[in-house]
Amino acid sequence: MSAAQQQPQQRHGPWTGVRVLDLTGLSGAYGTRVWAALGADVICVEPPVGSPIRQMPPLAPGHSGPEASLWWAYYGATKRSVVLDPTNAGDAAALVNLIGSADVVLDDAPPATQETYPWLAAQGEGGLGVAGIVEKFPHLTWVSITPFGMTGPRREWRSSNLIGWASCGLASTVGFPHGPPLTPAGEIGVLMHGASLHALIGSMLSVRTRNQAGASGEPALGQTIDLSLQEVGLWLSPETGVPLYLDDQVPRPRAGNRRPVTSPMGMYPASDGYVAIIAIQPTHWNAVAQWVHELTGNEGILDEIFVDIVVRREALEAVDAWVEELTTQFTKQELFVEGQRRRIPITPVNTVGDLRHDPHLEAVGWWRTEEHPVLGTYTVPGSPFTTDGDWWAWQRAPMLGEHTDEVLGSLS
């Protein structure tokens, strides 16, 4: 068996010994990926057709089927895959046993489904859903991730990452002043990531609290955790979202790719893309003004009145135009290097290609190489933080049902 085919399950890290079942799609995928990387045994319970993430494009060039999705290659890393069909009596019984072996379960099924789960009735569990499960397994932490929570008049409304952005008010703040709201961050499910990270935090704290209680001789009980995408979005938006408007409830205009606090502040065109510039402090502005003057001969920009950020805000269009005369004459990298020399906060707006060949990320060894029996060799992002203890575990994403026999066999 080649190295790419081997999938050892040696665990290390602060959460070694904890088992997490992932019954979710995108809403829990990133959080459970972090659980797994930090040592937990994360098992993705997939239907026979596979997790919906396995169908998400882009697909690896020249590949098709359940192993082809690059999203799955990323989100599935370091997890195990078990295929079960709860409509089958044998699989339903196996799923109940698997849930009982877990410390944490993450579920994104609709509230009514989580409350009933008809396959439980077939196992003599009364069809009580989550309530019946946690009564049967009181040590278990059950995390529900739904669009609007498990209670309330909108609990059964269907949703998505985009609807989540709209419902929490964040979408109303993204876009240009005279245009429609825009979805943030393109294709990626940032709000789903936010929800799964909060699920991660909540479930880790629940396991820690349970373990502390058990160690002190008290009942070692889990928790039920209820996450709403809408509420997570509200929590994440202190600067641009609803909390900003609570004082007078008056929506502010969308700001586009500039911040109307002052100028320059935002994204400015270079000859090969864009750079981000922020010049709030007087020393930053004076350096920008001097650079523009040297390049264009603009005398007005040196007027001391523009040192005041309020004045620059009132003259925002003119100041932005002056700054663009500078930025459009250089590449992103040239602006970055010269800006650093002049002590101006300027940075390139990196593309994926820029990042993949970024000398800093290369120097710190952030990118990692993985091998997969279907996809071959590919590069993935490294860990979001490092520790002296080398907590992070790295394994390729599992193939569909790769660990079914192994995991279910251990329960018998």
Side-chain angles (χ1 to χ4, degrees), residues 345-379:
I346 299 178
T347 190
V349 178
N350 288 318
T351 65
V352 173
D354 295 332
L355 291 170
R356 181 62 187 87
H357 302 287
D358 182 275
H360 174 80
L361 294 177
E362 291 284 356
V364 300
W366 194 70
W367 297 104
R368 296 183 57 85
T369 299
E370 289 185 354
E371 293 186 17
H372 191 278
V374 174
L375 302 181
T377 302
Y378 53 90
T379 301

Side-chain angles (χ1 to χ4, degrees), residues 26-95:
L26 188 59
S27 62
Y30 183 75
T32 53
R33 187 185 193 279
V34 177
W35 259 121
L38 292 175
D41 178 18
V42 175
I43 299 172
C44 290
V45 180
E46 303 188 66
V49 296
S51 165
I53 299 175
R54 292 182 181 271
Q55 313 303 319
M56 290 174 56
L59 306 181
H63 294 280
S64 61
E67 315 307 331
S69 170
L70 298 182
W71 285 111
W72 175 257
Y74 175 71
Y75 284 124
T78 319
K79 302 176 184 179
R80 297 200 283 176
S81 170
V82 169
V83 169
L84 290 172
D85 179 5
T87 63
N88 174 283
D91 281 7
L95 181 53

Side-chain angles (χ1 to χ4, degrees), residues 9 29 55 69 74 145 148 169 173 195 199 235 240 246 260 298 301 310 328 336 363 366:
Q9 294 301 321
Q55 313 303 319
S69 170
Y74 175 71
I145 307 174
F148 297 97
T173 69
W235 174 261
T240 59
L246 291 180
N298 186 331
I301 199 171
V310 175
T328 52
F336 170 65
W366 194 70

Side-chain angles (χ1 to χ4, degrees), residues 168 170 191 194 198 201 228-239 241-243:
C168 74
L170 265 173
L191 188 54
H198 282 74
I201 294 168
S228 155
L229 288 181
Q230 182 186 40
E231 293 168 14
V232 168
L234 284 164
W235 174 261
L236 290 173
S237 58
E239 178 186 357
V242 171

Side-chain angles (χ1 to χ4, degrees), residues 48-298:
V49 296
S51 165
I53 299 175
R54 292 182 181 271
Q55 313 303 319
M56 290 174 56
L59 306 181
H63 294 280
S64 61
E67 315 307 331
S69 170
L70 298 182
W71 285 111
W72 175 257
Y74 175 71
Y75 284 124
T78 319
K79 302 176 184 179
R80 297 200 283 176
S81 170
V82 169
V83 169
L84 290 172
D85 179 5
T87 63
N88 174 283
D91 281 7
L95 181 53
V96 171
N97 291 335
L98 186 56
I99 289 172
S101 76
D103 299 282
V104 177
V105 176
L106 284 83
D107 193 0
D108 63 356
T113 301
Q114 292 193 45
E115 288 176 351
T116 57
Y117 274 132
W119 50 267
L120 279 174
Q123 300 306 307
E125 307 298 335
L128 297 178
V130 174
I133 291 172
V134 297
E135 182 178 356
K136 182 179 179 68
F137 305 117
H139 71 281
L140 185 66
T141 289
W142 190 282
V143 185
S144 298
I145 307 174
T146 58
F148 297 97
M150 294 291 287
T151 60
R154 295 177 182 164
R155 70 184 203 126
E156 290 301 328
W157 285 21
R158 296 183 180 275
S159 185
S160 65
N161 190 70
L162 178 58
I163 292 173
W165 281 116
S167 68
C168 74
L170 265 173
S172 70
T173 69
V174 180
F176 289 87
H178 303 294
L182 300 176
T183 177
E187 296 180 3
I188 61 175
V190 174
L191 188 54
M192 297 289 193
H193 279 191
S196 69
L197 280 174
H198 282 74
L200 172 77
I201 294 168
S203 56
M204 282 184 173
L205 290 174
S206 176
V207 171
R208 182 176 184 271
T209 301
R210 183 203 66 184
N211 291 347
Q212 286 179 328
S216 63
E218 300 175 7
L221 303 177
Q223 303 278 333
T224 55
I225 299 174
D226 182 5
L227 273 87
S228 155
L229 288 181
Q230 182 186 40
E231 293 168 14
V232 168
L234 284 164
W235 174 261
L236 290 173
S237 58
E239 178 186 357
T240 59
V242 171
L244 180 64
Y245 311 143
L246 291 180
D247 55 348
D248 55 15
Q249 300 183 31
V250 176
R252 275 61 170 178
R254 288 181 280 277
N257 57 5
R258 305 284 164 85
R259 287 285 183 261
V261 175
T262 187
S263 178
M265 188 175 181
M267 309 298 175
Y268 293 82
S271 63
D272 62 344
Y274 287 85
V275 292
I277 307 177
I278 180 171
I280 293 181
Q281 299 299 326
T283 53
H284 298 152
W285 166 251
N286 288 333
V288 170
Q290 182 62 37
W291 192 3
V292 171
H293 168 68
E294 292 173 8
L295 188 72
T296 68
N298 186 331

